[in-house]
């Protein structure tokens, strides 16, 4: 029973994160302002990173493995493309598109990640991935109707 507790805690944390993201997106959408979207996005990422740093320090987590050039490239890609470009695009879309449409990004992003992993890193596409992607895209189609 103890081995299931960390898993359930992770599921609960994920759900709490989703709830927070939805509430924050709804709040940002209702709070129309002429302030810079890029500046607001930067502040959100800085404070999110600082919060996670505090949590890591409190938990005593430390980076114990050596990094490689490939892992550094991956981290830089995630910083610039995944965070800066992606989050700025999300903030822009949130301001100019319906919330119901913008929220679909969370479902489409993993499918795009699988496709990019296959194209760029030659990762295999398994039948399970194909079925999961089809379910996700079907769900997006249903929501859009």
């Amino acid at each position: 029973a103890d081995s299931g507790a960390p898993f359930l805690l992770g599921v609960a944390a994920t759900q709490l994160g989703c709830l927070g993201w939805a509430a924050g997106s709804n709040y940002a959408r209702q709070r129309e302002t002429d302030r810079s979207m890029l500046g607001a996005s930067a502040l959100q990422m800085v404070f999110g990173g600082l919060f996670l740093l505090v949590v890591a320090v409190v938990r005593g987590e430390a980076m114990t493995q050596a990094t490689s050039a490939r892992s550094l490239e991956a981290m830089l890609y995630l910083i610039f493309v995944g965070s800066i470009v992606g989050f700025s695009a999300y903030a822009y879309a949130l301001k100019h598109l319906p919330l119901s449409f913008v929220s679909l990004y969370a479902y489409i992003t993993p499918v795009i990640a699988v496709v990019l992993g296959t194209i760029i890193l030659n990762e295999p596409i398994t039948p399970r991935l194909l079925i999961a992607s089809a379910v996700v895209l079907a769900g997006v189609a249903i929501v859009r109707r």
Side-chain angles (χ1 to χ4, degrees), residues 61-66:
E61 296 176 359
M63 193 165 136
T64 58
Q65 296 185 346

Side-chain angles (χ1 to χ4, degrees), residues 7 36 48 71 94:
F7 175 77
S36 166
S71 63
L94 191 60

